[in-house]
């Protein structure tokens, strides 16, 4: 056991009140702060509006530390939020997977959730498929019309796992800098979605979900299922 592993986890107030910001959000947060300061110099009462806006911007782009469960047979939640659906659906059409139905777990992220997304398993990016689209509610409807980014990972044992970032009602951009061939560790940050959105995970054939509709998910920590 290394010296770092022997140390206690950070339980200080900074961990909860001042978590790091995702790099994609730093520039947006900086612009909001600068604009707020400039407007406040001309009209002080505007701070009543832009002060809370700065705080919310920091809060929205936060990227808190997560302790990833260890185990090669674990499928971990890629998003914070609430499980809004668990259902049998067809495999994503864009991927060259076996034409069969798989269990899809849908996780809805409100504007108050952490919107940083994490890899559900360790694997290599085998395929990516981006769909531009509309911005309609994804909480309780299918998402064929929404902007979405489909991702297919292949694990070391050959198992394929597909998952999808879906833009929501007020979302305006999916951030996913992945490229085919990239390798991800389970729980590793791979992207984010701005504002309300959804993330779907397609469990491999024969794998049963270990979560329930309405259950709260923590990205990088909550176990969705165990691979056989």
């Amino acid at each position: 056991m290394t010296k770092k592993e022997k140390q206690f986890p950070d339980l200080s107030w900074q961990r909860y009140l001042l978590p790091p910001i995702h790099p994609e959000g730093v520039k947006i947060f900086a612009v909001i702060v600068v604009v707020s300061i400039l407007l406040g110099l001309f009209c002080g009462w505007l701070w009543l509006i832009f002060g809370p806006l700065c705080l919310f911007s920091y809060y929205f782009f936060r990227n808190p530390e997560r302790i990833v469960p260890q185990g090669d047979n674990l499928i971990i939640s890629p998003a914070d939020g609430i499980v809004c659906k668990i259902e049998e659906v067809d495999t994503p059409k864009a991927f060259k997977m076996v034409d069969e139905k798989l269990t899809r777990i849908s996780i809805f992220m409100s504007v108050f959730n952490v919107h940083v997304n994490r890899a559900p398993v360790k694997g290599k990016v085998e395929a990516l498929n981006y769909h531009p689209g509309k911005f309609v509610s994804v909480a309780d409807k299918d998402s064929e019309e929404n902007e979405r980014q489909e991702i297919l990972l292949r694990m070391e044992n050959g198992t394929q796992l597909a998952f999808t970032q879906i833009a929501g009602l007020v979302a305006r951009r999916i951030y996913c800098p992945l490229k085919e061939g990239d390798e991800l560790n389970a729980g590793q940050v791979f992207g984010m979605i701005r504002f309300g959105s959804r993330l779907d995970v397609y469990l491999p054939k024969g794998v049963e979900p270990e979560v329930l509709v309405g259950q709260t998910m923590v990205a990088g920590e909550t176990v969705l299922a165990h691979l056989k």
Side-chain angles (χ1 to χ4, degrees):
M1 182 176 290
T2 65
K3 181 178 179 181
K4 183 177 181 180
E5 291 173 332
K6 292 180 180 178
Q7 294 177 346
F8 289 105
D10 180 13
L11 300 179
S12 64
W13 64 270
Q14 288 96 332
R15 175 177 180 178
Y16 301 99
L17 297 182
L18 292 175
I21 301 178
H22 188 278
E24 182 68 8
V26 170
K27 52 189 177 184
I28 298 176
F29 175 70
V31 169
I32 293 175
V33 170
V34 171
V35 171
S36 300
I37 292 174
L38 293 176
L39 291 176
L41 293 176
F42 289 99
C43 190
W45 65 267
L46 287 176
W47 266 107
L48 297 176
I49 299 175
F50 287 96
L53 181 61
C54 290
L55 293 176
F56 178 77
S57 176
Y58 180 93
Y59 173 80
F60 178 81
F61 290 110
R62 68 197 187 281
N63 182 17
E65 177 186 353
R66 296 292 162 82
I67 307 301
V68 182
Q70 299 301 299
D72 294 334
N73 66 331
L74 302 180
I75 300 177
I76 302 169
S77 177
D80 283 26
I82 302 293
V83 176
C84 61
K85 277 186 178 182
I86 299 178
E87 56 187 346
E88 296 291 317
V89 298
D90 294 327
T91 56
K93 298 177 182 178
F95 298 145
K96 296 179 180 179
M97 302 174 68
V98 178
D99 188 15
E100 58 187 0
K101 289 187 176 295
L102 299 176
T103 300
R104 182 178 68 188
I105 300 176
S106 299
I107 303 169
F108 175 70
M109 295 173 280
S110 75
V111 294
F112 300 106
N113 289 124
V114 174
H115 274 58
V116 172
N117 300 144
R118 297 172 178 268
V121 295
K122 179 181 179 181
K124 180 179 289 187
V125 178
E126 187 170 87
L128 296 164
N129 191 47
Y130 174 75
H131 297 265
K134 302 176 182 179
F135 301 99
V136 297
S137 176
V138 293
D140 55 4
K141 299 179 181 179
D142 288 333
S143 55
E144 292 300 319
E145 295 184 350
N146 288 72
E147 177 195 12
R148 61 193 186 279
Q149 173 69 61
E150 296 173 334
I151 304 163
L152 180 65
L153 291 184
R154 182 177 289 274
M155 303 174 64
E156 291 181 351
N157 61 8
T159 300
Q160 292 178 310
L161 184 78
F163 52 103
T164 307
Q165 295 173 291
I166 307 170
L169 182 62
V170 295
R172 287 297 180 271
R173 185 183 178 188
I174 291 175
Y175 174 70
C176 180
L178 294 178
K179 303 180 296 296
E180 291 187 16
D182 285 351
E183 295 188 0
L184 295 173
N185 291 318
Q188 179 179 338
V189 173
F190 72 86
M192 70 179 303
I193 316 174
R194 295 176 185 172
F195 305 104
S197 43
R198 193 174 103 184
L199 206 144
D200 292 345
V201 179
Y202 296 82
L203 300 182
K205 190 69 174 178
V207 176
E208 297 295 327
E210 298 180 13
V211 294
L212 301 172
V213 173
Q215 186 173 342
T216 299
M217 299 292 98
V218 179
E221 293 189 355
T222 304
V223 175
L224 297 179
H226 285 75
L227 292 168
K228 295 182 179 180

